[in-house]
Amino acid sequence: MASPDYSDGCMIALYPPPELAEELAVEGGLPVEDLHVTVAYLGNADEADAELFNEVVQELAERKPFTVKLAGLARFTGGDKDVLVALVDSPDLEDLRRDTLDALYERGIEIPRDHGYTAHLSLTYLEPEETAPLDRLPARDVEFTALAAVHGLDRTDYPLAHPMESVAREAFAAGWAMSGGPMTERVQVACETAVQIAAEEADDPDILRATIDLGRLEGMWALLFQRREEQQAKHTKLIGDAWKPLIDRAAVAAAIDEFRLRMGVAEARGPDWARIRAEALAVAKKMLYALVDVAGFGKLRQTLRDAIAAGRAEGAVNAVAIAAERAAQVGLDWNIAFQDAYRSMERLDELWADADGWLGRTLDGAAGDLGSVLADGMEAGLTRDELIDAAMDILTADDAAVAFTVDWAMTTAADEGALALYRSEGVLQIDIITAGDGRVCSACIDAESGSPWHIGDQPRMPLHPLCRCCYAADVSLSHFAAWMA
């Protein structure tokens, strides 16, 4: 059944998302692109000032997106043709309709008074005796994010946005810029959340100040995590550069010869996979722990000790940065602070013990990886040269156990550096704050929810490898005046 031609009309309308319009369209009914909910029909377009009309619609669009419910079917009768419609229920739509009539009236624009207003979305026109193509429409929610001004064949969509949103977005951006931090995914998510809160609390005279503060806070966190990542990448490379020269192909070949000899490959009548794996791990540990006698091992130990010192220094600076943010004090010079904190680590003998502990973990991790490669290679029937190549690959790969251990060691050091600073400042309680990224697990969330913690009772950070949760507390910034620009 052909639909009436309203191409010369003028209306304010809401158009459903295209994918929903596809679902609602019925065969022979209104085209998908024409499905809409009329807010107000103004009659013939020639009688409506297009510029004034669009001005009204743009003003009406200064509101948040809202959701309506399609609440079943109805069949309007009484005209030349019946109309099958989806009924629309929404108090927000009622508010929009009321505001629309008020705005039009204020500008002297009248609308036809032929009918009352029943919110609906027309699906198809039918002859009075014609059977409807649908007998039921399940209820569903539909979000409208734009208000359309339709003037004849011209349609302009105005995104629904609270007038506070653009102001709040600028306020958040101003705070973020003050921090000097990078624009990260977390900052972007925080901005949208801050804008939403600002729109909901638009009547609060302090909401924009709070939005600026939130932007600065998120910028500070972004900078904090960026600096940590940069430090860890830097020291991972330095330690990798010190590690790789220790892996001598001749020593690896000798270890594999010993492994093959132990297994008695030539005489073996059948595989004993448990024994293969045990012997592979034993040979791997023997070879790697022999590295402590290699000339370059001292450089590796020094480099790891430097990484731990850098981690501790960064943790101390992070602690002051968090305290400064809590006190709404800007001007921390991160680089000066880091250099000062790093120099204080020069004579800490305990860092050598820490370095030795992490070296042990590094060797154990590398031995586990090497043992698995040797055992798998033996089971797969690799030749001697193929086993040597596989061993060299795993021991010198960029994503080997070294990088994993360095990340864990420096994160642990950063958390210990922050905790040491808080203790030295007489802090009794601390919070745990998650990084807000995909590495946050249930243990992280529980630790954050349990804040504040008495120092000594808090979970020891990091809670897991690659954890980026932080300790946070208030400290007197007067002790760190030299760090402030």
Side-chain angles (χ1 to χ4, degrees):
M1 168 77 54
S3 304
D5 182 10
Y6 291 112
S7 61
D8 60 351
C10 179
M11 68 174 176
I12 300 171
L14 297 163
Y15 286 79
E19 61 275 11
L20 178 58
E22 290 275 3
E23 294 180 28
L24 294 174
V26 299
E27 186 176 356
L30 272 69
V32 170
E33 63 273 14
D34 288 347
L35 296 181
H36 66 273
V37 177
T38 302
V39 179
Y41 180 70
L42 281 69
N44 196 299
D46 292 339
E47 300 175 5
D49 182 317
E51 184 176 347
L52 181 60
F53 169 62
N54 276 271
E55 178 184 303
V56 171
V57 180
Q58 187 172 9
E59 177 185 298
L60 291 167
E62 293 183 346
R63 64 187 64 230
K64 295 184 295 184
F66 61 90
T67 300
V68 307
K69 184 177 288 295
L70 296 185
L73 291 170
R75 182 166 180 159
F76 293 166
T77 61
D80 293 338
K81 297 175 182 178
D82 293 353
V83 190
L84 184 68
V85 304
L87 295 175
V88 177
D89 179 37
S90 168
D92 291 314
L93 179 55
E94 292 178 2
D95 292 343
L96 174 58
R97 165 75 175 182
R98 182 192 64 243
D99 294 344
T100 298
L101 296 182
D102 290 344
L104 293 172
Y105 177 78
E106 289 175 1
R107 288 167 175 79
I109 302 174
E110 295 184 1
I111 66 172
R113 305 288 294 176
D114 301 336
H115 302 284
Y117 181 73
T118 302
H120 65 278
L121 187 151
S122 297
L123 299 174
T124 188
Y125 287 83
L126 305 167
E127 294 294 346
E129 69 279 2
E130 189 176 355
T131 301
L134 295 175
D135 58 9
R136 187 175 189 278
L137 183 68
R140 70 180 73 188
D141 291 334
V142 183
E143 183 182 33
F144 290 110
T145 59
L147 185 62
V150 181
H151 191 270
L153 296 176
D154 295 329
R155 169 182 158 188
T156 304
D157 290 341
Y158 294 96
L160 296 177
H162 193 286
M164 174 61 82
E165 290 187 11
S166 61
V167 180
R169 190 166 277 107
E170 290 179 4
F172 184 95
W176 164 78
M178 291 169 60
S179 73
M183 178 55 67
T184 64
E185 182 178 349
R186 168 178 167 146
V187 173
Q188 293 171 342
V189 171
C191 179
E192 293 308 312
T193 302
V195 168
Q196 181 180 352
I197 294 172
E200 293 172 352
E201 304 295 334
D203 294 334
D204 185 341
D206 296 324
I207 191 61
L208 290 180
R209 170 51 60 186
T211 306
I212 292 173
D213 290 344
L214 184 57
R216 191 177 66 245
L217 173 64
E218 288 300 331
M220 183 278 295
W221 280 111
L223 182 57
L224 183 154
F225 290 123
Q226 180 190 57
R227 286 179 57 88
R228 281 201 180 190
E229 297 294 337
E230 289 173 351
Q231 284 286 334
Q232 290 179 3
K234 169 187 172 182
H235 287 280
T236 295
K237 183 180 185 307
L238 291 172
I239 291 172
D241 290 345
W243 166 267
K244 290 176 184 178
L246 299 178
I247 308 304
D248 179 67
R249 187 177 182 89
V252 171
I256 288 174
D257 288 341
E258 180 182 351
F259 174 48
R260 288 163 57 84
L261 182 62
R262 287 191 185 190
M263 299 310 304
V265 174
E267 293 78 20
R269 296 183 178 181
D272 181 350
W273 304 130
R275 182 186 170 208
I276 288 176
R277 292 194 170 274
E279 292 290 354
L281 180 59
V283 167
K285 284 187 174 182
K286 179 180 178 182
M287 188 205 86
L288 287 168
Y289 272 92
L291 294 179
V292 298
D293 297 323
V294 174
F297 192 80
K299 179 181 178 181
L300 174 65
R301 185 170 180 253
Q302 176 69 59
T303 306
L304 185 52
R305 192 260 183 209
D306 292 344
I308 293 171
R312 287 228 190 167
E314 193 66 27
V317 175
N318 293 168
V320 175
I322 293 169
E325 177 54 43
R326 288 185 164 198
Q329 183 170 333
V330 297
L332 173 68
D333 189 315
W334 292 70
N335 293 326
I336 290 177
F338 175 78
Q339 292 301 327
D340 190 17
Y342 187 77
R343 282 193 295 271
S344 71
M345 307 290 170
E346 290 179 355
R347 297 183 180 181
L348 282 182
D349 291 339
E350 64 188 80
L351 297 188
W352 287 111
D354 287 347
D356 289 339
W358 287 108
L359 274 173
R361 294 193 188 193
T362 301
L363 294 174
D364 285 341
D369 291 341
L370 176 59
S372 294
V373 165
L374 295 181
D376 291 343
M378 183 66 74
E379 292 173 18
L382 296 186
T383 65
R384 174 181 182 273
D385 288 342
E386 288 173 334
L387 280 173
I388 295 172
D389 289 340
M392 290 297 295
D393 286 343
I394 195 65
L395 290 175
T396 60
D398 290 337
D399 58 351
V402 174
F404 177 82
T405 306
V406 171
D407 183 287
W408 200 352
M410 292 191 69
T411 300
T412 300
D415 292 330
E416 289 176 349
L419 201 58
L421 184 140
Y422 290 138
R423 282 176 171 147
S424 70
E425 294 297 308
V427 172
L428 299 179
Q429 288 187 327
I430 54 175
D431 297 327
I432 291 176
I433 299 177
T434 66
D437 60 14
R439 290 174 286 200
V440 174
C441 67
S442 58
C444 301
I445 294 172
D446 289 344
E448 184 176 54
S449 300
S451 300
W453 296 88
H454 288 286
I455 284 189
D457 295 337
Q458 83 288 343
R460 185 178 179 185
M461 313 295 290
L463 293 170
H464 55 80
L466 304 181
C467 179
R468 293 295 185 264
C469 298
C470 293
Y471 297 125
D474 299 325
V475 298
S476 172
L477 297 174
S478 62
H479 298 172
F480 304 96
W483 293 6
M484 301 296 170

